């Protein structure tokens, strides 16, 4: 009887792991696809906030890929991949920061309609991702819950960008609202890259501890 229960538990765990891997892979691909869409529109209309928000999609891609790999890779390999992804996140964030610095000299308003439509698409994508991750938020560890929270919180940022579009369209015909929000999002991007690096470093230390390379004394 105990053996049967053990086998049943193993089967359920394997099915759950496969379902989680499929979910995070779908979320990662959705985020990666919309990163290119949002970044392209942001560059074409000169929007700092939209370009900075595109980095959020790259961050979510990295986090969900890490979860996907974490279910099959040893700690050391996951740690290395995590650091690579943290660097990948940081490069677009630095590019967005440079765009913000350049925009300070000439804070021209981005096209508000393009801004709002693209941010509206981001709301749809992030909402879909949040719903996909909702059933797994308490079953895949802290990173899965973090991925769900990120998708949910990104919807708020996207709504903020839509609000900037409305302000630009009806109240202030310049780029300052877009620039101010963009700087705030860039700060969040930098923090996200730091957090991914720290998680990777923790996994690296855990891998060394398991290998007996760290003396607890």
């Amino acid at each position: 009887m105990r053996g049967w229960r053990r086998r049943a538990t193993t089967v359920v765990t394997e099915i759950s792991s496969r379902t989680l891997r499929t979910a995070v892979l779908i979320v990662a691909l959705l985020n990666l696809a919309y990163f290119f869409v949002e970044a392209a529109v942001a560059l074409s209309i000169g929007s700092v906030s939209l370009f900075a928000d595109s980095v959020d999609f790259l961050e979510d891609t990295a986090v969900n890929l890490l979860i996907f790999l974490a279910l099959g890779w040893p700690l050391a390999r996951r740690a290395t991949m995590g650091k690579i992804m943290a660097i990948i996140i940081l490069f677009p964030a630095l590019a967005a920061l440079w765009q913000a610095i350049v925009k300070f000299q000439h804070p021209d308003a981005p096209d508000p309609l393009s801004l709002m439509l693209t941010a509206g698409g981001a709301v749809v994508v992030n909402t879909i991702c949040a719903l996909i991750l909702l059933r797994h938020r308490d079953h895949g560890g802290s990173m899965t819950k973090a991925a769900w929270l990120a998708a949910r919180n990104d919807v708020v940022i996207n709504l903020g960008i839509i609000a900037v579009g409305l302000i630009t369209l009806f109240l202030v015909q310049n780029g300052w609202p877009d620039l101010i929000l963009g700087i705030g999002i860039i700060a969040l991007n930098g923090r996200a890259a730091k957090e991914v690096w720290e998680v990777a470093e923790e996994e690296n230390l855990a891998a060394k501890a398991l290998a007996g390379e760290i003396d607890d004394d």
Side-chain angles (χ1 to χ4, degrees):
M1 179 66 72
R2 290 180 180 177
W4 179 85
R5 288 179 178 175
R6 192 178 299 113
R7 286 194 298 273
T9 301
T10 301
V11 170
V12 171
T13 301
E14 290 177 352
I15 293 173
S16 178
S17 295
R18 285 199 300 269
T19 304
L20 174 58
R21 289 187 67 150
T22 300
V24 295
L25 184 59
I26 291 171
V27 170
L29 293 175
L30 284 172
N31 278 281
L32 183 61
Y34 208 77
F35 159 72
F36 289 109
V37 172
E38 201 170 45
V41 175
L43 291 173
S44 68
I45 66 174
S47 171
V48 176
S49 64
L50 203 61
F51 189 70
D53 187 57
S54 72
V55 183
D56 274 338
F57 280 99
L58 196 61
E59 175 221 334
D60 291 344
T61 300
V63 170
N64 283 282
L65 281 178
L66 278 176
I67 298 169
F68 179 79
L69 297 174
L71 296 175
W73 282 14
L75 280 172
R77 290 180 67 186
R78 279 157 42 191
T80 300
M81 182 58 69
K83 290 182 178 181
I84 291 172
M85 289 182 176
I87 294 171
I88 290 172
I89 295 169
L90 193 58
F91 273 112
L94 291 173
L97 179 60
W98 175 252
Q99 186 185 20
I101 292 171
V102 172
K103 191 112 185 211
F104 261 112
Q105 302 172 11
H106 303 285
D108 298 325
D111 177 55
L113 293 178
S114 297
L115 187 68
M116 289 187 288
L117 286 173
T118 308
V123 170
V124 173
V125 173
N126 279 314
T127 300
I128 292 172
C129 291
L131 291 174
I132 291 173
L133 293 170
L134 180 61
R135 60 182 295 191
H136 301 288
R137 60 177 174 170
D138 297 320
H139 303 291
S142 59
M143 287 192 70
T144 304
K145 188 166 186 177
W148 174 75
L149 288 171
R152 187 196 65 179
N153 294 341
D154 285 345
V155 174
V156 177
I157 293 176
N158 302 146
L159 293 174
I161 296 175
I162 293 174
V164 164
L166 291 171
I167 291 171
T168 304
L169 183 63
F170 295 110
L171 297 177
V172 182
Q173 280 72 47
N174 61 50
W176 284 110
D178 175 71
L179 184 57
I180 292 169
L181 179 59
I183 291 172
I185 298 173
I186 290 167
L188 293 176
N189 296 154
R191 182 180 177 183
K194 180 175 179 289
E195 288 174 352
V196 172
W197 181 278
E198 288 174 346
V199 170
E201 187 60 29
E202 288 174 4
E203 290 184 335
N204 186 45
L205 292 174
K208 289 182 178 180
L210 288 172
E213 297 178 18
I214 296 178
D215 188 355
D216 293 333
D217 297 332

